[in-house]
């Protein structure tokens, strides 16, 4: 993709990219990975994967501090490490450091360049700056691969994913993952319960035949460069930026979910972002009884979603779709009422009318309606339906397990059984 031949990427770089500085150097790498860094220890660089023999990796680290954290020394340890290991500084705030014979760190000190990150943008801005620079380097011919890999400082990728070929119709990838830590620690019990919730949600979407059934973790995903540019890059959000980006990419092409070994993520309760894994694990730990904390979806939610999606083709053939009447034939009355109320609240009749008037055939209509009823609207539907019907369930209720509490071994067995359907090869003996 060298020489700036792609107009989609060129347009994005000229109009939307956040590029605080453009380094000039002669090096070339096979792969690029973006890692936001906030309050991290230099040991995090020991987790960077070693590329396969004969290949090289550029890691773009983005040192950042949200304005919600007043500690000006929050990034002192990493800043000192970079200073001590600098090979060159292409521009103020940008530093090149060798991490291994085939791995180079390009650290962007975003805090130094821009100051504290706005509260509303948080880690989304850090990822955006790193991914936009990665895109520019791909466009300039400094990176051979057309994929931007996204990782976190607490995650370790298996090396072989760096050299794997991805499907030509893939807009993104969502890799297997596994949280690891001390087996019996309260932190890891809470982390296991949260991880089971993630898998339960994706399994529910699969059961419902949703096209948005994929995990969305910023530590274990990747984006096709052209597709990333086409959807105008990483959302500037303090959390869930990975969810929103992959949701947009799923409208461009498939989100490929390979089988194989997992990205290993260190279990930790974190306040680095306002919501997501770290804060959720912290809340489960604070509850004292994570297995009894109700935050799982009842199966009724996914049953209703499945029937709604099944009705899409039928509703698209009618000038005035009979939404409530059709659902009454498929669901108990109370559930049909609740599902209809949520669909009307989301604006389904207007979306159907738009799809009918702006598509030439049935396939285009269905694609347009699924584009409208995306991962975000799916989540809104499920949350609204849950709140008006059965509420939440805890882990023991959704697993129908009579044993209380479940041991760490039992939780791991539940997780292994859930992810085996996707061909994940988890590390045994890890929480």
């Amino acid at each position: 993709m060298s020489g700036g031949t792609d107009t989609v990427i060129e347009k994005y770089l000229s109009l939307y990219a956040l590029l605080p500085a453009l380094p000039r150097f002669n090096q070339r790498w096979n792969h690029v990975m973006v890692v936001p860094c906030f309050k991290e220890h230099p040991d995090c660089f020991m987790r960077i994967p070693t590329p396969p023999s004969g290949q090289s990796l550029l890691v773009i680290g983005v040192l950042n501090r949200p304005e919600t954290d007043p500690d000006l020394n929050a990034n002192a340890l990493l800043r000192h490490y970079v200073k001590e290991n600098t090979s060159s500084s292409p521009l103020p705030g940008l530093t090149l450091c060798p991490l291994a014979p085939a791995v180079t760190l390009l650290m962007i000190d975003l805090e130094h360049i821009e100051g504290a990150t706005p509260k509303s943008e948080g880690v989304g801005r850090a990822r955006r700056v790193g991914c936009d620079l990665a895109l520019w380097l791909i466009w300039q011919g400094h990176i051979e691969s057309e994929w931007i890999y996204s990782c976190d400082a607490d995650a370790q990728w298996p090396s072989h994913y760096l050299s794997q070929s991805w499907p030509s119709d893939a807009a993104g990838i969502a890799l297997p993952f596994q949280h690891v830590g001390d087996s019996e620690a309260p932190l890891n019990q809470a982390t296991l319960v949260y991880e089971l919730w993630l898998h339960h949600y994706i399994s529910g979407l699969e059961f419902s035949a949703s096209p948005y059934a994929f995990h969305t973790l910023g530590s274990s995903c990747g984006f096709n460069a052209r597709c990333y540019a086409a959807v105008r890059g990483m959302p500037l959000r303090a959390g869930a930026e990975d969810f929103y980006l992959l949701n947009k990419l799923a409208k461009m092409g498939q989100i490929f979910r390979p089988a194989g070994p997992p990205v290993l993520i260190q279990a930790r309760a974190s306040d680095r972002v306002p919501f997501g894994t770290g804060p959720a694990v912290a809340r489960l730990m604070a509850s004292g009884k994570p297995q009894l904390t109700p935050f799982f979806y009842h199966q009724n939610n996914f049953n209703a979603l499945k029937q709604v999606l099944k009705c899409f083709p039928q509703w698209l053939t009618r000038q005035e779709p009979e939404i409530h009447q059709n659902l009454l034939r498929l669901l108990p009355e109370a559930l049909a009422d609740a599902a209809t109320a949520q669909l009307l609240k989301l604006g389904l009749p207007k979306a159907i009318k738009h799809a009918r008037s702006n598509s030439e055939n049935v396939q285009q209509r269905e694609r347009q309606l699924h584009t409208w009823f995306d991962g975000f609207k799916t989540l809104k539907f499920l949350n609204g339906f849950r709140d008006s019907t059965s509420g939440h369930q805890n882990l023991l209720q959704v697993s129908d397990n009579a044993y209380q509490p479940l041991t760490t071994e039992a939780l791991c067995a539940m997780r292994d059984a859930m992810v085996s359907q996707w061909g994940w090869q988890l590390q045994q003996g890890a929480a």
Side-chain angles (χ1 to χ4, degrees):
M1 197 178 290
S2 61
T5 57
D6 194 301
T7 56
V8 173
I9 292 179
E10 184 176 10
K11 179 180 179 180
Y12 175 81
L13 290 172
S14 63
L15 296 179
Y16 306 110
L18 297 181
L19 296 169
L22 295 176
R24 300 290 177 178
F25 38 65
N26 298 321
Q27 295 98 316
R28 288 172 57 89
W29 296 269
N30 299 104
H31 310 283
V32 63
M33 174 176 284
V34 176
V35 183
C37 302
F38 168 51
K39 292 199 299 189
E40 299 292 352
H41 190 277
D43 286 352
C44 67
F45 296 129
M46 297 177 62
R47 303 188 186 100
I48 298 298
T50 300
S53 178
Q55 300 192 34
S56 56
L57 170 67
L58 176 68
V59 178
I60 299 179
V62 186
L63 207 58
N64 69 101
R65 177 177 61 85
E67 62 183 5
T68 51
D69 191 321
D71 184 7
L72 299 180
N73 293 314
N75 292 315
L77 286 175
L78 272 189
R79 211 170 261 126
H80 176 74
Y81 174 88
V82 169
K83 182 179 179 181
E84 291 295 307
N85 292 276
T86 298
S87 62
S88 65
S89 296
L91 287 170
L94 270 70
T95 306
L96 280 171
C97 301
L99 295 180
V103 182
T104 304
L105 170 67
L106 174 58
M107 182 64 85
I108 305 173
D109 194 332
L110 195 62
E111 182 184 4
H112 172 81
I113 295 171
E114 297 184 345
T117 303
K119 176 183 177 180
S120 62
E121 298 183 1
V123 68
R125 186 172 186 88
R127 288 197 201 276
R128 172 74 165 268
V129 169
C131 289
D132 286 1
L133 181 56
L135 181 70
W136 182 81
L137 291 170
I138 290 172
W139 188 64
Q140 290 289 313
H142 291 291
I143 307 295
E144 179 182 316
S145 172
E146 296 183 359
W147 284 83
I148 300 169
Y149 296 126
S150 174
C151 188
D152 282 334
D154 61 352
Q156 182 175 0
W157 281 40
S159 296
H160 83 276
Y161 286 126
L162 294 178
S163 60
Q164 190 163 333
S165 297
W166 307 116
S168 59
D169 65 341
I173 55 170
L175 301 181
F177 64 89
Q178 176 184 5
H179 291 88
V180 295
D182 297 330
S183 61
E184 294 298 334
L187 167 64
N188 297 298
Q189 286 262 336
T191 302
L192 273 167
V193 172
Y194 182 73
E195 193 173 315
L196 284 166
W197 176 83
L198 292 174
H199 300 329
H200 181 262
Y201 182 71
I202 300 305
S203 294
L205 293 184
E206 285 187 325
F207 166 82
S208 307
S210 168
Y212 297 92
F214 48 82
H215 293 86
T216 56
L217 273 68
S219 57
S220 54
C221 61
F223 332 115
N224 174 273
R226 190 175 190 277
C227 293
Y228 173 85
V231 301
R232 298 189 182 179
M234 185 73 66
L236 298 175
R237 300 178 58 92
E241 74 291 341
D242 38 17
F243 168 83
Y244 283 96
L245 176 59
L246 286 165
N247 184 49
K248 291 193 296 182
L249 288 170
K251 303 171 187 180
M252 298 283 300
Q254 72 159 314
I255 304 300
F256 183 64
R257 302 161 59 194
V263 174
L264 299 179
I265 306 172
Q266 298 299 308
R268 61 183 185 181
S270 171
D271 61 356
R272 288 169 173 80
V273 293
F275 47 90
T277 302
V281 169
R283 288 193 297 272
L284 287 171
M285 288 181 65
S287 75
K289 297 179 179 179
Q291 299 177 30
L292 299 178
T293 300
F295 72 114
F296 286 77
Y297 290 96
H298 193 284
Q299 183 60 33
N300 281 343
N301 291 267
F302 299 116
N303 290 336
L305 177 62
K306 182 174 185 176
Q307 300 308 326
V308 166
L309 297 178
K310 187 184 295 185
C311 286
F312 273 14
Q314 181 179 356
W315 291 338
L316 285 167
T317 63
R318 295 177 178 268
Q319 191 69 33
E320 296 294 334
E322 299 176 337
I323 296 173
H324 187 237
Q325 293 89 326
N326 292 152
L327 290 177
L328 277 172
R329 301 188 189 102
L330 300 169
L331 295 167
E333 183 176 0
L335 301 186
D337 291 348
T340 301
Q342 294 307 313
L343 293 172
L344 294 178
K345 185 177 180 179
L346 290 171
L348 177 62
K350 184 178 179 180
I352 291 173
K353 183 177 180 180
H354 184 270
R356 283 175 52 85
S357 60
N358 290 275
S359 305
E360 296 180 357
N361 54 55
V362 174
Q363 291 75 19
Q364 288 182 2
R365 288 177 183 177
E366 287 192 33
R367 178 176 177 81
Q368 191 164 122
L369 193 57
H370 278 293
T371 297
W372 171 80
F373 196 72
D374 59 11
F376 177 59
K377 283 193 174 64
T378 297
L379 180 61
K380 290 185 70 174
F381 170 82
L382 289 170
N383 286 345
F385 184 89
R386 171 205 63 203
D387 293 342
S388 61
T389 55
S390 52
H392 282 122
Q393 291 187 308
N394 63 44
L395 174 62
L396 297 176
Q397 290 171 316
V398 299
S399 63
D400 294 324
N401 199 303
Y403 301 100
Q404 299 186 34
L406 293 171
T407 64
T408 297
E409 183 179 2
L411 291 171
C412 287
M414 289 175 61
R415 178 184 60 182
D416 292 352
M418 292 186 74
V419 304
S420 64
Q421 63 183 313
W422 302 317
W424 293 16
Q425 302 165 2
L426 298 190
Q427 182 182 93
Q428 298 304 308

